[in-house]
Amino acid sequence: MGDAGGASDRVVNQLLTEMDGMNSKKNVFIIGATNRPDQIDPAILRPGRLDQLIYVPLPDEAGRLSILQAQLRKTPLEPGLDLNLIAKAANGFSGADLSYIVQRAAKFAIKESIEANVRYDQEKEDKVKTENGEDIDMDVKETEDEDKPDFVPYITHAHFEEAMKTAKRSVSAAELRRYEAYAQQLQASRGQLSNFRFEGGASGAAGGSSTSGTQSAANDGANTESAGAAFGNGEEEDDLYS
């Protein structure tokens, strides 16, 4: 099914117009990311646009540890909590998957803190009712709230264990193989002129013996003839730049 309204074409055309309007005087760098490289419009990948394609694989164990440390840099953690164990267990997880684990563990900690505070308030309220009857002094209650302890001061290993139970990989093995195959195809498509050599360099390199020199001269002659057949004779063709 195609785009009946042509919205995708209009967005691509506008994006191409904006990119083509940039020049070297503008310090603007365009970076894009996608998990569907096969769906990219070929016009965007032409030279001068998004012509540098880089395959970013899933993070390894050291990369996963760095991601966890970056996401938890401002989060209080239980002393002795080893993030290396989480990074080692989360093999094949992406950065978004690790972010889910961190956020899930934080939510478990918040939930435990709320439940602990509710129990604390209920116990205090029941105690005051028992001692003073049904009337509760609000000033006393506010003073007690200020002295309320922090029941969950940090994220513990138990919170991460609960978060890991619901975590899963967002990139399947089949998708990973498809990305790797596309990366290999992209690498193979580069360097179509990898055998290009200047004639002077080639003849100089082949000047070690008369046989190789003769063979090189014959190859140069064949190359010249093939080049003339491909591009035409320069004397017969008009100079396009005159």
Side-chain angles (χ1 to χ4, degrees):
M1 296 179 63
D3 184 9
S8 299
D9 293 337
R10 291 195 297 270
V11 171
V12 171
N13 291 334
Q14 184 64 31
L15 183 60
L16 295 178
T17 302
E18 296 293 336
M19 287 192 295
D20 292 341
M22 297 178 185
N23 51 43
S24 59
K25 295 182 179 180
K26 297 180 180 180
N27 295 325
V28 178
F29 299 90
I30 302 177
I31 301 176
T34 179
N35 57 355
R36 295 300 304 272
D38 53 321
Q39 298 289 329
I40 302 177
D41 193 311
I44 300 179
L45 303 180
R46 291 175 182 171
R49 297 170 180 171
L50 297 180
D51 52 358
Q52 297 294 328
L53 302 182
I54 303 175
Y55 171 63
V56 181
L58 291 175
D60 55 7
E61 184 175 343
R64 295 192 295 270
L65 178 60
S66 299
I67 293 173
L68 290 172
Q69 291 174 345
Q71 294 178 344
L72 294 169
R73 63 184 182 276
K74 296 183 179 180
T75 304
L77 300 177
E78 180 183 12
L81 181 63
D82 190 3
L83 295 178
N84 289 280
L85 297 178
I86 301 176
K88 185 176 182 179
N91 184 27
F93 279 51
S94 65
D97 301 333
L98 297 174
S99 178
Y100 168 83
I101 295 175
V102 171
Q103 294 176 4
R104 192 71 175 169
K107 290 179 180 178
F108 280 124
I110 294 173
K111 180 180 179 180
E112 182 180 349
S113 177
I114 293 174
E115 292 175 350
N117 280 278
V118 170
R119 289 195 303 269
Y120 178 83
D121 293 339
Q122 188 64 40
E123 291 174 358
K124 281 292 185 180
E125 186 176 348
D126 294 341
K127 183 178 180 181
V128 171
K129 287 181 178 180
T130 302
E131 294 177 353
N132 302 331
E134 295 296 330
D135 296 333
I136 301 176
D137 191 351
M138 298 302 297
D139 294 335
V140 174
K141 186 176 181 180
E142 291 178 359
T143 304
E144 292 176 351
D145 290 341
E146 294 177 357
D147 298 336
K148 184 183 300 184
D150 188 359
F151 298 100
V152 187
Y154 37 66
I155 300 178
T156 65
H157 66 281
H159 300 144
F160 278 105
E161 290 175 355
E162 289 295 325
M164 292 290 288
K165 292 179 181 179
T166 58
K168 61 180 181 180
R169 295 173 53 183
S170 61
V171 181
S172 64
E175 291 175 336
L176 183 59
R177 288 194 298 269
R178 186 173 71 248
Y179 295 148
E180 292 175 348
Y182 183 82
Q184 294 176 359
Q185 179 183 357
L186 179 64
Q187 186 67 25
S189 64
R190 296 175 178 174
Q192 296 180 355
L193 300 177
S194 59
N195 295 327
F196 172 78
R197 296 291 185 276
F198 285 103
E199 294 182 0
S203 60
S209 62
S210 59
T211 304
S212 59
T214 304
Q215 184 67 28
S216 176
N219 291 336
D220 291 341
N223 292 337
T224 304
E225 293 177 358
S226 61
F231 298 103
N233 193 340
E235 296 178 354
E236 298 177 357
E237 296 293 337
D238 295 333
D239 188 359
L240 298 179
Y241 300 98
S242 59

